[in-house]
Amino acid sequence: MVAAQQTGLILSNTETVPGRRIVEFYGVVTGNTVRAKHVGRDIMAGLKNIVGGELKGYTELLHDSREEATARMVEQARSMGANAVVNVRYATSSVAQGAAELFAYGTAVRVE
Amino acid sequence: MFEIVATLVLLMVTFFIGNWLEKRHYADIREREHRLREFPVVTFKTIPATWRVESSQLAQGSVVVSVDYFKRFVAGLRGILGGRIKTYEPLLDRARREALLRMIEAAKSDGCDAVINVRLETSRLASSRQGGKGTAGVEILAYGTGLRLAQ
């Protein structure tokens, strides 16, 4: 489960929360995080790069980063008084060498 | 001379290990896909009229993969000659299916009965060596809205 949902706020990547009616819109909410990988992980990944396959260290790193971006977005939505974020989108952009920005955005709403 | 021999040995070894790992991964993917074949996963957001949705949540799964030395070498040659890089296709295919499976498994373990509006995102991780031109890996993210249905 996306950890941010454990607080009770509903996330959805459809335009509505299935089975509920939207009663109020609060606008776009965003959350981001910029991360760089650390040397230890890089060395392990470098070794793994020879035989191919999954780079678990990076999978975890990106997963954790995305959770944090989502948590920030949820925090913003909550401060507006929303109880759900609909139409959530994820995007990644490469900012500098060895660093990546992960961000999440969506529309904060209040559902019944 | 030593360098050429070392490269050839590395190519041979990674060819066998890479292929073995790929075969094993495909077997695992097929087995899991077969097990989850009855779980509805769709890329549209329309919910069938007969379903009564109790609650919903965001579900996601991701994976970062890279290719082995041999495949990268072949792809490098292809870069000169042009054409289809066959060695990269199974890698991305595996990664997408793996990410989807992880998303479905996560949704299932949270008690969801279906996942709708599934989206797939691909992003490249730049290597910190070679001035960011090299690829450290490719990340695939699968996400969608998981539904819990009233029986």
Side-chain angles (χ1 to χ4, degrees):
Chain A
M1 183 192 253
V2 179
Q5 290 178 124
Q6 273 152 9
T7 55
L9 192 131
I10 307 163
L11 294 175
S12 160
N13 79 332
T14 57
E15 274 114 63
T16 55
V17 175
R20 305 268 204 111
R21 208 166 59 87
I22 293 170
V23 288
E24 205 169 344
F25 281 95
Y26 296 96
V28 177
V29 283
T30 60
N32 77 340
T33 179
V34 178
R35 290 291 179 96
K37 51 203 164 92
H38 71 71
V39 183
R41 269 183 176 144
D42 216 18
I43 291 168
M44 275 310 292
L47 290 175
K48 198 72 212 288
N49 240 327
I50 297 169
V51 291
E54 183 182 357
L55 307 174
K56 287 213 175 71
Y58 287 171
T59 305
E60 266 165 44
L61 175 74
L62 287 172
H63 180 261
D64 294 348
S65 313
R66 198 166 275 121
E67 290 271 298
E68 190 171 333
T70 314
R72 286 183 188 168
M73 178 185 75
V74 164
E75 190 49 49
Q76 199 189 338
R78 195 177 286 284
S79 71
M80 288 170 159
N83 65 357
V85 180
V86 296
N87 222 0
V88 174
R89 295 278 178 274
Y90 286 109
T92 320
S93 55
S94 178
V95 183
Q97 198 178 301
E101 187 205 21
L102 295 150
F103 73 103
Y105 60 103
T107 308
V109 295
R110 170 160 285 280
V111 294
E112 277 175 338
Chain B
M1 192 60 203
F2 172 75
E3 274 175 29
I4 295 169
V5 172
T7 308
L8 284 176
V9 168
L10 198 58
L11 279 175
M12 288 257 288
V13 169
T14 56
F15 173 76
F16 287 114
I17 295 177
N19 271 0
W20 178 70
L21 285 174
E22 189 174 294
K23 268 206 194 95
R24 209 178 56 162
H25 192 202
Y26 262 126
D28 179 52
I29 286 174
R30 277 195 214 98
E31 198 263 312
R32 283 152 72 202
E33 277 178 348
H34 185 72
R35 209 177 334 126
L36 294 166
R37 70 194 181 282
E38 311 234 304
F39 193 91
V41 181
V42 296
T43 53
F44 50 83
K45 50 198 159 218
T46 326
I47 301 164
T50 50
W51 287 9
R52 275 194 31 251
V53 181
E54 209 153 67
S55 63
S56 65
Q57 65 164 70
L58 202 68
Q60 63 179 38
S62 65
V63 64
V64 178
V65 289
S66 78
V67 279
D68 58 66
Y69 187 81
F70 175 80
K71 294 201 176 79
R72 217 171 309 129
F73 182 82
V74 172
L77 290 180
R78 270 284 171 216
I80 301 165
L81 298 167
R84 181 175 166 196
I85 306 175
K86 272 196 197 141
T87 51
Y88 273 21
E89 289 169 358
L91 173 87
L92 289 162
D93 176 53
R94 264 161 72 195
R96 288 218 173 84
R97 286 160 78 173
E98 177 70 40
L100 274 172
L101 283 168
R102 284 186 188 179
M103 179 196 74
I104 299 165
E105 280 160 359
K108 211 175 172 187
S109 74
D110 285 343
C112 291
D113 302 299
V115 182
I116 59 165
N117 205 24
V118 174
R119 293 288 176 268
L120 285 161
E121 299 275 342
T122 312
S123 52
R124 189 182 74 101
L125 298 182
S127 163
S128 45
R129 291 181 295 274
Q130 301 157 25
K133 280 200 284 285
T135 301
V138 176
E139 194 214 15
I140 310 277
L141 167 72
Y143 62 105
T145 303
L147 306 177
R148 266 180 288 268
L149 305 173
Q151 291 310 313

